[in-house]
Amino acid sequence: MSDVRLHAFPDSLAFAAQLGRAIGVRAARVAVHRFPDGERLVRVRSPAGGHAVLVHALRDPDARLIETLLAADALRRAGAARVTLVAPYLPYMRQDRVFTPGEPISQRVVGALLARAFDRVLTIEPHLHRVGRLSTVLRGGRAVSAAPAIAAWVRRRGPDVLLVGPDAESLPWVRAIARLAGAPYVIGGKLRLGDHHVRLRFPVLPPCRRAIVVDDIASSGGTLATAARALRALGVPRVEAVVVHAIFAPGARARLRAAGVRTLVSCDTVLHPTNAIPTAPLLAAALGVARRARAC
Ligand code: R5P
C-alpha cells in the first residue's frame, strides 16, 4: 500500500521526524485534549492515509496506552485500511508470568489489547526473555533488535572492551552485540531481592581496561549499580553502561554515578538526556515502506 501517512503524539514527534526522514514522509501531530475529570480525547489528521503509521513512545504507560487505543480507532474512522503502531518502548512486558499467586500476566493483557487495535506493532527489544517471539503474546507484533546500533556504539569505544550482561536473560542479545562488535563478553547471575535491590555474581573476568554493562531496561538502576560495584571490586578500572530503554526512576542516575558508572548512554526509545543511540533507522527498515522521493 503506497498511501502511507505518519501520525505522532506530541512527545514522539522528534522520533517520528527521524522515522519520517528515513521513509520520506512527514509526521502529522495527534492532538490530545485532557478533560477536567482526567479523561482524554485524541484527534488525528483526516484523512489518515490508507496505511496509517502511529508513533507513540509508551513510557509512563497507563494514560498513553488509552490514548494509543483511541488513536487507532480514530485512524480507522478517518479512512485508514491498515494501522501500524510504532512503539519504540513497549511497556508491561516484564510481568510475563504469574510470579506470585494472585497476579495477572500483564504482558498478555497488554499484548491482546494492542493486537485488537492494530494490524502491526513494531517495537525495539521488548522484554521477551521467557517468551522468545513477540507475536506469541501480540498478534502482528514484531520485535526489532537494537544490537546493530549498540554494537556500532561499542566499536567506537575502542579496543580492550569487555561486554557484561547482568543476568542469564541478557545472554542472547549481549552475545549478538559482542559478535557484531568483535568484543568478548561475560554474563552474570542475578537474584532480585526487591524493586530496588538485586544480588549479582560474575564469573572470573578476562583482563580488560573497560567493562560496558549492557541491559535492556534501567528502571531503579539497581541492576546496573550492583553490576558496576561488583566489577570494580573485581579490579575493572573503568565501568560504563548502555541500556536500550532509559526508564530511570527518580534518583537512578545519581545511584549509578555513586556506584562508579563513568559513562551512561541509552538508545532513544524513551526520551532521556542519556539518549545517544538512534533506533529510528532500524524501525524504518522494519516498516518495509519504500522511501518516497520527497516528504509530503
Ligand atoms: C530484568 O530482567 C531487566 O532485564 C532489567 O535488568 C531490569 O528491568 C532492570 O531494572 P532495575 O534498573 O530496576 O534493576
mmCIF file of all heavy atoms in Angstrom, residues 140-191:
data_model
loop_
_atom_site.group_PDB
_atom_site.id
_atom_site.type_symbol
_atom_site.label_atom_id
_atom_site.label_comp_id
_atom_site.label_asym_id
_atom_site.label_seq_id
_atom_site.Cartn_x
_atom_site.Cartn_y
_atom_site.Cartn_z
ATOM 1 N N GLY A 140 0.661 -9.957 15.268
ATOM 2 C CA GLY A 140 1.058 -8.815 14.422
ATOM 3 C C GLY A 140 2.232 -8.037 14.987
ATOM 4 O O GLY A 140 2.653 -7.045 14.411
ATOM 5 N N GLY A 141 2.758 -8.495 16.122
ATOM 6 C CA GLY A 141 3.880 -7.781 16.743
ATOM 7 C C GLY A 141 5.212 -8.216 16.165
ATOM 8 O O GLY A 141 5.397 -9.386 15.818
ATOM 9 N N ARG A 142 6.115 -7.275 16.045
ATOM 10 C CA ARG A 142 7.465 -7.618 15.586
ATOM 11 C C ARG A 142 8.490 -6.884 16.439
ATOM 12 O O ARG A 142 8.423 -5.664 16.596
ATOM 13 C CB ARG A 142 7.629 -7.227 14.118
ATOM 14 C CG ARG A 142 9.065 -7.430 13.684
ATOM 15 C CD ARG A 142 9.239 -7.568 12.197
ATOM 16 N NE ARG A 142 10.667 -7.539 11.919
ATOM 17 C CZ ARG A 142 11.187 -7.082 10.808
ATOM 18 N NH1 ARG A 142 10.426 -6.622 9.849
ATOM 19 N NH2 ARG A 142 12.495 -7.083 10.637
ATOM 20 N N ALA A 143 9.419 -7.635 16.992
ATOM 21 C CA ALA A 143 10.476 -7.052 17.816
ATOM 22 C C ALA A 143 11.692 -6.791 16.939
ATOM 23 O O ALA A 143 12.140 -7.668 16.215
ATOM 24 C CB ALA A 143 10.841 -8.028 18.927
ATOM 25 N N VAL A 144 12.203 -5.573 17.021
ATOM 26 C CA VAL A 144 13.382 -5.205 16.246
ATOM 27 C C VAL A 144 14.570 -5.147 17.206
ATOM 28 O O VAL A 144 14.476 -4.558 18.278
ATOM 29 C CB VAL A 144 13.159 -3.834 15.558
ATOM 30 C CG1 VAL A 144 14.412 -3.380 14.824
ATOM 31 C CG2 VAL A 144 11.961 -3.917 14.604
ATOM 32 N N SER A 145 15.667 -5.750 16.797
ATOM 33 C CA SER A 145 16.844 -5.794 17.676
ATOM 34 C C SER A 145 17.621 -4.481 17.626
ATOM 35 O O SER A 145 17.845 -3.923 16.547
ATOM 36 C CB SER A 145 17.762 -6.942 17.245
ATOM 37 O OG SER A 145 18.970 -6.860 17.965
ATOM 38 N N ALA A 146 18.040 -4.023 18.800
ATOM 39 C CA ALA A 146 18.893 -2.836 18.872
ATOM 40 C C ALA A 146 20.365 -3.216 18.776
ATOM 41 O O ALA A 146 21.241 -2.335 18.808
ATOM 42 C CB ALA A 146 18.635 -2.094 20.184
ATOM 43 N N ALA A 147 20.649 -4.508 18.656
ATOM 44 C CA ALA A 147 22.048 -4.966 18.705
ATOM 45 C C ALA A 147 22.952 -4.276 17.669
ATOM 46 O O ALA A 147 24.062 -3.854 18.033
ATOM 47 C CB ALA A 147 22.115 -6.492 18.552
ATOM 48 N N PRO A 148 22.516 -4.112 16.394
ATOM 49 C CA PRO A 148 23.441 -3.470 15.445
ATOM 50 C C PRO A 148 23.799 -2.034 15.852
ATOM 51 O O PRO A 148 24.951 -1.617 15.722
ATOM 52 C CB PRO A 148 22.651 -3.468 14.125
ATOM 53 C CG PRO A 148 21.610 -4.528 14.287
ATOM 54 C CD PRO A 148 21.277 -4.572 15.743
ATOM 55 N N ALA A 149 22.802 -1.288 16.370
ATOM 56 C CA ALA A 149 23.061 0.109 16.759
ATOM 57 C C ALA A 149 23.968 0.151 17.998
ATOM 58 O O ALA A 149 24.880 0.981 18.091
ATOM 59 C CB ALA A 149 21.737 0.829 17.021
ATOM 60 N N ILE A 150 23.722 -0.735 18.961
ATOM 61 C CA ILE A 150 24.559 -0.743 20.176
ATOM 62 C C ILE A 150 25.974 -1.200 19.831
ATOM 63 O O ILE A 150 26.962 -0.632 20.312
ATOM 64 C CB ILE A 150 23.932 -1.646 21.261
ATOM 65 C CG1 ILE A 150 22.591 -1.052 21.701
ATOM 66 C CG2 ILE A 150 24.871 -1.802 22.452
ATOM 67 C CD1 ILE A 150 21.838 -1.894 22.713
ATOM 68 N N ALA A 151 26.076 -2.198 18.956
ATOM 69 C CA ALA A 151 27.405 -2.689 18.577
ATOM 70 C C ALA A 151 28.214 -1.584 17.892
ATOM 71 O O ALA A 151 29.426 -1.457 18.120
ATOM 72 C CB ALA A 151 27.271 -3.898 17.655
ATOM 73 N N ALA A 152 27.545 -0.750 17.082
ATOM 74 C CA ALA A 152 28.257 0.346 16.415
ATOM 75 C C ALA A 152 28.795 1.316 17.462
ATOM 76 O O ALA A 152 29.925 1.816 17.359
ATOM 77 C CB ALA A 152 27.325 1.064 15.439
ATOM 78 N N TRP A 153 27.999 1.574 18.514
ATOM 79 C CA TRP A 153 28.461 2.468 19.593
ATOM 80 C C TRP A 153 29.635 1.823 20.332
ATOM 81 O O TRP A 153 30.630 2.496 20.631
ATOM 82 C CB TRP A 153 27.300 2.765 20.557
ATOM 83 C CG TRP A 153 27.694 3.678 21.666
ATOM 84 C CD1 TRP A 153 27.741 5.052 21.632
ATOM 85 C CD2 TRP A 153 28.138 3.293 22.977
ATOM 86 N NE1 TRP A 153 28.190 5.534 22.833
ATOM 87 C CE2 TRP A 153 28.429 4.484 23.675
ATOM 88 C CE3 TRP A 153 28.320 2.077 23.622
ATOM 89 C CZ2 TRP A 153 28.892 4.490 24.992
ATOM 90 C CZ3 TRP A 153 28.774 2.070 24.930
ATOM 91 C CH2 TRP A 153 29.062 3.263 25.613
ATOM 92 N N VAL A 154 29.537 0.540 20.610
ATOM 93 C CA VAL A 154 30.610 -0.167 21.337
ATOM 94 C C VAL A 154 31.908 -0.111 20.519
ATOM 95 O O VAL A 154 32.987 0.151 21.069
ATOM 96 C CB VAL A 154 30.203 -1.631 21.633
ATOM 97 C CG1 VAL A 154 31.400 -2.438 22.133
ATOM 98 C CG2 VAL A 154 29.065 -1.678 22.647
ATOM 99 N N ARG A 155 31.789 -0.318 19.229
ATOM 100 C CA ARG A 155 33.007 -0.304 18.387
ATOM 101 C C ARG A 155 33.710 1.043 18.474
ATOM 102 O O ARG A 155 34.930 1.120 18.480
ATOM 103 C CB ARG A 155 32.649 -0.613 16.932
ATOM 104 C CG ARG A 155 32.498 -2.114 16.647
ATOM 105 C CD ARG A 155 32.587 -2.396 15.149
ATOM 106 N NE ARG A 155 31.548 -1.710 14.412
ATOM 107 C CZ ARG A 155 30.327 -2.210 14.173
ATOM 108 N NH1 ARG A 155 30.025 -3.424 14.603
ATOM 109 N NH2 ARG A 155 29.426 -1.523 13.511
ATOM 110 N N ARG A 156 32.918 2.121 18.617
ATOM 111 C CA ARG A 156 33.529 3.450 18.702
ATOM 112 C C ARG A 156 34.232 3.670 20.041
ATOM 113 O O ARG A 156 34.976 4.624 20.198
ATOM 114 C CB ARG A 156 32.471 4.537 18.470
ATOM 115 C CG ARG A 156 31.958 4.591 17.028
ATOM 116 C CD ARG A 156 31.261 5.910 16.720
ATOM 117 N NE ARG A 156 30.044 6.093 17.482
ATOM 118 C CZ ARG A 156 28.845 5.601 17.140
ATOM 119 N NH1 ARG A 156 28.725 4.907 16.027
ATOM 120 N NH2 ARG A 156 27.788 5.812 17.887
ATOM 121 N N ARG A 157 33.967 2.824 21.046
ATOM 122 C CA ARG A 157 34.641 2.985 22.348
ATOM 123 C C ARG A 157 36.082 2.541 22.285
ATOM 124 O O ARG A 157 36.839 2.741 23.233
ATOM 125 C CB ARG A 157 33.938 2.170 23.459
ATOM 126 C CG ARG A 157 32.492 2.444 23.667
ATOM 127 C CD ARG A 157 32.196 3.900 23.871
ATOM 128 N NE ARG A 157 32.639 4.436 25.148
ATOM 129 C CZ ARG A 157 32.800 5.734 25.401
ATOM 130 N NH1 ARG A 157 32.587 6.611 24.456
ATOM 131 N NH2 ARG A 157 33.192 6.151 26.586
ATOM 132 N N GLY A 158 36.489 1.891 21.199
ATOM 133 C CA GLY A 158 37.884 1.480 21.052
ATOM 134 C C GLY A 158 38.119 0.054 21.518
ATOM 135 O O GLY A 158 37.178 -0.645 21.896
ATOM 136 N N PRO A 159 39.403 -0.362 21.532
ATOM 137 C CA PRO A 159 39.716 -1.762 21.840
ATOM 138 C C PRO A 159 39.721 -2.031 23.345
ATOM 139 O O PRO A 159 39.513 -1.109 24.148
ATOM 140 C CB PRO A 159 41.135 -1.917 21.269
ATOM 141 C CG PRO A 159 41.710 -0.547 21.336
ATOM 142 C CD PRO A 159 40.574 0.438 21.196
ATOM 143 N N ASP A 160 39.959 -3.274 23.707
ATOM 144 C CA ASP A 160 40.114 -3.676 25.108
ATOM 145 C C ASP A 160 38.840 -3.430 25.924
ATOM 146 O O ASP A 160 38.878 -2.910 27.037
ATOM 147 C CB ASP A 160 41.305 -2.933 25.729
ATOM 148 C CG ASP A 160 41.843 -3.690 26.933
ATOM 149 O OD1 ASP A 160 41.435 -4.855 27.133
ATOM 150 O OD2 ASP A 160 42.645 -3.115 27.675
ATOM 151 N N VAL A 161 37.723 -3.783 25.333
ATOM 152 C CA VAL A 161 36.419 -3.615 25.984
ATOM 153 C C VAL A 161 35.865 -4.998 26.326
ATOM 154 O O VAL A 161 35.976 -5.925 25.540
ATOM 155 C CB VAL A 161 35.457 -2.897 25.004
ATOM 156 C CG1 VAL A 161 34.012 -3.153 25.352
ATOM 157 C CG2 VAL A 161 35.734 -1.404 24.986
ATOM 158 N N LEU A 162 35.286 -5.105 27.516
ATOM 159 C CA LEU A 162 34.587 -6.343 27.886
ATOM 160 C C LEU A 162 33.105 -6.014 28.032
ATOM 161 O O LEU A 162 32.736 -5.097 28.782
ATOM 162 C CB LEU A 162 35.129 -6.865 29.223
ATOM 163 C CG LEU A 162 34.408 -8.093 29.789
ATOM 164 C CD1 LEU A 162 34.676 -9.332 28.920
ATOM 165 C CD2 LEU A 162 34.837 -8.344 31.240
ATOM 166 N N LEU A 163 32.250 -6.741 27.314
ATOM 167 C CA LEU A 163 30.811 -6.527 27.467
ATOM 168 C C LEU A 163 30.295 -7.406 28.602
ATOM 169 O O LEU A 163 30.717 -8.562 28.738
ATOM 170 C CB LEU A 163 30.079 -6.877 26.174
ATOM 171 C CG LEU A 163 30.395 -5.978 24.978
ATOM 172 C CD1 LEU A 163 29.616 -6.440 23.754
ATOM 173 C CD2 LEU A 163 30.068 -4.530 25.291
ATOM 174 N N VAL A 164 29.370 -6.855 29.373
ATOM 175 C CA VAL A 164 28.874 -7.567 30.552
ATOM 176 C C VAL A 164 27.353 -7.599 30.523
ATOM 177 O O VAL A 164 26.704 -6.540 30.508
ATOM 178 C CB VAL A 164 29.353 -6.864 31.844
ATOM 179 C CG1 VAL A 164 28.806 -7.594 33.069
ATOM 180 C CG2 VAL A 164 30.876 -6.808 31.892
ATOM 181 N N GLY A 165 26.787 -8.784 30.502
ATOM 182 C CA GLY A 165 25.336 -8.940 30.662
ATOM 183 C C GLY A 165 25.070 -9.245 32.125
ATOM 184 O O GLY A 165 25.722 -10.124 32.698
ATOM 185 N N PRO A 166 24.127 -8.537 32.751
ATOM 186 C CA PRO A 166 23.965 -8.709 34.200
ATOM 187 C C PRO A 166 23.284 -10.000 34.619
ATOM 188 O O PRO A 166 23.408 -10.409 35.774
ATOM 189 C CB PRO A 166 23.125 -7.495 34.605
ATOM 190 C CG PRO A 166 22.409 -7.092 33.368
ATOM 191 C CD PRO A 166 23.288 -7.473 32.213
ATOM 192 N N ASP A 167 22.553 -10.624 33.693
ATOM 193 C CA ASP A 167 21.822 -11.831 34.111
ATOM 194 C C ASP A 167 21.659 -12.790 32.934
ATOM 195 O O ASP A 167 21.900 -12.428 31.781
ATOM 196 C CB ASP A 167 20.445 -11.460 34.698
ATOM 197 C CG ASP A 167 19.674 -10.497 33.812
ATOM 198 O OD1 ASP A 167 19.788 -10.612 32.579
ATOM 199 O OD2 ASP A 167 18.964 -9.625 34.352
ATOM 200 N N ALA A 168 21.238 -14.001 33.256
ATOM 201 C CA ALA A 168 21.133 -15.043 32.226
ATOM 202 C C ALA A 168 20.196 -14.610 31.100
ATOM 203 O O ALA A 168 20.399 -14.964 29.940
ATOM 204 C CB ALA A 168 20.620 -16.332 32.853
ATOM 205 N N GLU A 169 19.173 -13.812 31.447
ATOM 206 C CA GLU A 169 18.202 -13.385 30.427
ATOM 207 C C GLU A 169 18.856 -12.504 29.368
ATOM 208 O O GLU A 169 18.363 -12.400 28.252
ATOM 209 C CB GLU A 169 17.063 -12.623 31.104
ATOM 210 C CG GLU A 169 16.271 -13.486 32.082
ATOM 211 C CD GLU A 169 15.309 -12.672 32.907
ATOM 212 O OE1 GLU A 169 15.542 -11.448 33.064
ATOM 213 O OE2 GLU A 169 14.332 -13.240 33.401
ATOM 214 N N SER A 170 19.932 -11.839 29.719
ATOM 215 C CA SER A 170 20.572 -10.913 28.772
ATOM 216 C C SER A 170 21.477 -11.648 27.772
ATOM 217 O O SER A 170 21.961 -11.036 26.817
ATOM 218 C CB SER A 170 21.384 -9.858 29.522
ATOM 219 O OG SER A 170 22.501 -10.450 30.161
ATOM 220 N N LEU A 171 21.709 -12.935 27.999
ATOM 221 C CA LEU A 171 22.692 -13.674 27.182
ATOM 222 C C LEU A 171 22.470 -13.535 25.668
ATOM 223 O O LEU A 171 23.399 -13.151 24.952
ATOM 224 C CB LEU A 171 22.734 -15.152 27.595
ATOM 225 C CG LEU A 171 23.554 -16.062 26.666
ATOM 226 C CD1 LEU A 171 25.035 -15.666 26.689
ATOM 227 C CD2 LEU A 171 23.386 -17.526 27.059
ATOM 228 N N PRO A 172 21.239 -13.817 25.131
ATOM 229 C CA PRO A 172 21.127 -13.827 23.666
ATOM 230 C C PRO A 172 21.514 -12.500 23.024
ATOM 231 O O PRO A 172 22.207 -12.474 22.004
ATOM 232 C CB PRO A 172 19.648 -14.145 23.422
ATOM 233 C CG PRO A 172 19.157 -14.741 24.691
ATOM 234 C CD PRO A 172 19.992 -14.176 25.796
ATOM 235 N N TRP A 173 21.085 -11.420 23.612
ATOM 236 C CA TRP A 173 21.380 -10.179 22.879
ATOM 237 C C TRP A 173 22.731 -9.593 23.239
ATOM 238 O O TRP A 173 23.377 -8.946 22.396
ATOM 239 C CB TRP A 173 20.222 -9.199 22.939
ATOM 240 C CG TRP A 173 19.884 -8.648 24.258
ATOM 241 C CD1 TRP A 173 19.311 -9.293 25.291
ATOM 242 C CD2 TRP A 173 20.122 -7.330 24.666
ATOM 243 N NE1 TRP A 173 19.168 -8.446 26.328
ATOM 244 C CE2 TRP A 173 19.645 -7.229 25.970
ATOM 245 C CE3 TRP A 173 20.663 -6.209 24.060
ATOM 246 C CZ2 TRP A 173 19.716 -6.047 26.688
ATOM 247 C CZ3 TRP A 173 20.725 -5.031 24.771
ATOM 248 C CH2 TRP A 173 20.262 -4.958 26.073
ATOM 249 N N VAL A 174 23.268 -9.857 24.434
ATOM 250 C CA VAL A 174 24.646 -9.426 24.710
ATOM 251 C C VAL A 174 25.594 -10.207 23.792
ATOM 252 O O VAL A 174 26.549 -9.651 23.240
ATOM 253 C CB VAL A 174 25.000 -9.628 26.204
ATOM 254 C CG1 VAL A 174 26.483 -9.395 26.451
ATOM 255 C CG2 VAL A 174 24.167 -8.695 27.064
ATOM 256 N N ARG A 175 25.288 -11.482 23.584
ATOM 257 C CA ARG A 175 26.105 -12.297 22.672
ATOM 258 C C ARG A 175 26.025 -11.732 21.247
ATOM 259 O O ARG A 175 27.035 -11.649 20.544
ATOM 260 C CB ARG A 175 25.593 -13.737 22.711
ATOM 261 C CG ARG A 175 26.429 -14.701 21.916
ATOM 262 C CD ARG A 175 26.020 -16.132 22.186
ATOM 263 N NE ARG A 175 24.575 -16.329 22.042
ATOM 264 C CZ ARG A 175 23.894 -17.357 22.526
ATOM 265 N NH1 ARG A 175 24.516 -18.281 23.218
ATOM 266 N NH2 ARG A 175 22.596 -17.459 22.357
ATOM 267 N N ALA A 176 24.810 -11.306 20.845
ATOM 268 C CA ALA A 176 24.651 -10.741 19.487
ATOM 269 C C ALA A 176 25.453 -9.448 19.351
ATOM 270 O O ALA A 176 26.127 -9.220 18.338
ATOM 271 C CB ALA A 176 23.175 -10.486 19.193
ATOM 272 N N ILE A 177 25.403 -8.601 20.369
ATOM 273 C CA ILE A 177 26.163 -7.330 20.319
ATOM 274 C C ILE A 177 27.657 -7.638 20.277
ATOM 275 O O ILE A 177 28.416 -7.038 19.507
ATOM 276 C CB ILE A 177 25.819 -6.449 21.540
ATOM 277 C CG1 ILE A 177 24.345 -6.040 21.489
ATOM 278 C CG2 ILE A 177 26.723 -5.217 21.598
ATOM 279 C CD1 ILE A 177 23.817 -5.471 22.797
ATOM 280 N N ALA A 178 28.085 -8.588 21.111
ATOM 281 C CA ALA A 178 29.510 -8.930 21.180
ATOM 282 C C ALA A 178 30.014 -9.439 19.833
ATOM 283 O O ALA A 178 31.105 -9.079 19.384
ATOM 284 C CB ALA A 178 29.726 -9.981 22.268
ATOM 285 N N ARG A 179 29.173 -10.241 19.186
ATOM 286 C CA ARG A 179 29.587 -10.783 17.884
ATOM 287 C C ARG A 179 29.735 -9.653 16.854
ATOM 288 O O ARG A 179 30.722 -9.558 16.152
ATOM 289 C CB ARG A 179 28.545 -11.812 17.411
ATOM 290 C CG ARG A 179 28.961 -12.600 16.177
ATOM 291 C CD ARG A 179 28.025 -13.772 15.898
ATOM 292 N NE ARG A 179 26.608 -13.417 16.021
ATOM 293 C CZ ARG A 179 25.910 -12.760 15.100
ATOM 294 N NH1 ARG A 179 26.484 -12.405 13.974
ATOM 295 N NH2 ARG A 179 24.642 -12.477 15.289
ATOM 296 N N LEU A 180 28.770 -8.742 16.856
ATOM 297 C CA LEU A 180 28.816 -7.637 15.885
ATOM 298 C C LEU A 180 29.948 -6.663 16.193
ATOM 299 O O LEU A 180 30.524 -6.058 15.293
ATOM 300 C CB LEU A 180 27.472 -6.889 15.882
ATOM 301 C CG LEU A 180 26.265 -7.667 15.337
ATOM 302 C CD1 LEU A 180 24.963 -6.945 15.657
ATOM 303 C CD2 LEU A 180 26.405 -7.839 13.824
ATOM 304 N N ALA A 181 30.242 -6.495 17.491
ATOM 305 C CA ALA A 181 31.273 -5.523 17.883
ATOM 306 C C ALA A 181 32.660 -6.158 17.934
ATOM 307 O O ALA A 181 33.656 -5.453 18.097
ATOM 308 C CB ALA A 181 30.924 -4.922 19.249
ATOM 309 N N GLY A 182 32.723 -7.474 17.853
ATOM 310 C CA GLY A 182 34.011 -8.162 17.940
ATOM 311 C C GLY A 182 34.624 -8.027 19.325
ATOM 312 O O GLY A 182 35.837 -7.864 19.463
ATOM 313 N N ALA A 183 33.802 -8.084 20.366
ATOM 314 C CA ALA A 183 34.299 -7.917 21.742
ATOM 315 C C ALA A 183 33.955 -9.162 22.564
ATOM 316 O O ALA A 183 32.949 -9.827 22.298
ATOM 317 C CB ALA A 183 33.638 -6.685 22.372
ATOM 318 N N PRO A 184 34.780 -9.462 23.588
ATOM 319 C CA PRO A 184 34.436 -10.582 24.470
ATOM 320 C C PRO A 184 33.290 -10.189 25.406
ATOM 321 O O PRO A 184 32.999 -9.000 25.571
ATOM 322 C CB PRO A 184 35.717 -10.822 25.268
ATOM 323 C CG PRO A 184 36.415 -9.496 25.253
ATOM 324 C CD PRO A 184 36.029 -8.809 23.965
ATOM 325 N N TYR A 185 32.642 -11.183 26.022
ATOM 326 C CA TYR A 185 31.557 -10.860 26.951
ATOM 327 C C TYR A 185 31.529 -11.866 28.092
ATOM 328 O O TYR A 185 32.044 -12.979 27.970
ATOM 329 C CB TYR A 185 30.194 -10.849 26.230
ATOM 330 C CG TYR A 185 29.731 -12.199 25.752
ATOM 331 C CD1 TYR A 185 28.925 -13.016 26.558
ATOM 332 C CD2 TYR A 185 30.108 -12.678 24.511
ATOM 333 C CE1 TYR A 185 28.503 -14.263 26.120
ATOM 334 C CE2 TYR A 185 29.696 -13.930 24.067
ATOM 335 C CZ TYR A 185 28.894 -14.712 24.876
ATOM 336 O OH TYR A 185 28.502 -15.955 24.449
ATOM 337 N N VAL A 186 30.951 -11.438 29.200
ATOM 338 C CA VAL A 186 30.647 -12.358 30.307
ATOM 339 C C VAL A 186 29.197 -12.103 30.722
ATOM 340 O O VAL A 186 28.654 -11.011 30.489
ATOM 341 C CB VAL A 186 31.561 -12.166 31.540
ATOM 342 C CG1 VAL A 186 32.996 -12.517 31.226
ATOM 343 C CG2 VAL A 186 31.439 -10.761 32.094
ATOM 344 N N ILE A 187 28.602 -13.096 31.334
ATOM 345 C CA ILE A 187 27.215 -12.982 31.796
ATOM 346 C C ILE A 187 27.191 -13.261 33.296
ATOM 347 O O ILE A 187 27.804 -14.228 33.766
ATOM 348 C CB ILE A 187 26.310 -14.009 31.069
ATOM 349 C CG1 ILE A 187 26.353 -13.804 29.543
ATOM 350 C CG2 ILE A 187 24.868 -13.950 31.593
ATOM 351 C CD1 ILE A 187 25.748 -12.508 29.036
ATOM 352 N N GLY A 188 26.494 -12.417 34.036
ATOM 353 C CA GLY A 188 26.394 -12.605 35.479
ATOM 354 C C GLY A 188 25.176 -13.434 35.857
ATOM 355 O O GLY A 188 24.370 -13.828 35.014
ATOM 356 N N GLY A 189 25.067 -13.697 37.132
ATOM 357 C CA GLY A 189 23.878 -14.366 37.675
ATOM 358 C C GLY A 189 23.198 -13.367 38.610
ATOM 359 O O GLY A 189 23.864 -12.746 39.448
ATOM 360 N N LYS A 190 21.901 -13.159 38.429
ATOM 361 C CA LYS A 190 21.203 -12.118 39.215
ATOM 362 C C LYS A 190 20.077 -12.725 40.023
ATOM 363 O O LYS A 190 19.336 -13.579 39.526
ATOM 364 C CB LYS A 190 20.658 -11.053 38.258
ATOM 365 C CG LYS A 190 19.917 -9.921 38.958
ATOM 366 C CD LYS A 190 19.643 -8.764 38.007
ATOM 367 C CE LYS A 190 18.258 -8.834 37.402
ATOM 368 N NZ LYS A 190 17.960 -7.677 36.551
ATOM 369 N N LEU A 191 19.972 -12.257 41.243
ATOM 370 C CA LEU A 191 18.830 -12.630 42.078
ATOM 371 C C LEU A 191 18.150 -11.331 42.485
ATOM 372 O O LEU A 191 18.801 -10.436 43.052
ATOM 373 C CB LEU A 191 19.333 -13.373 43.323
ATOM 374 C CG LEU A 191 18.262 -13.780 44.331
ATOM 375 C CD1 LEU A 191 17.351 -14.849 43.729
ATOM 376 C CD2 LEU A 191 18.930 -14.308 45.609
#
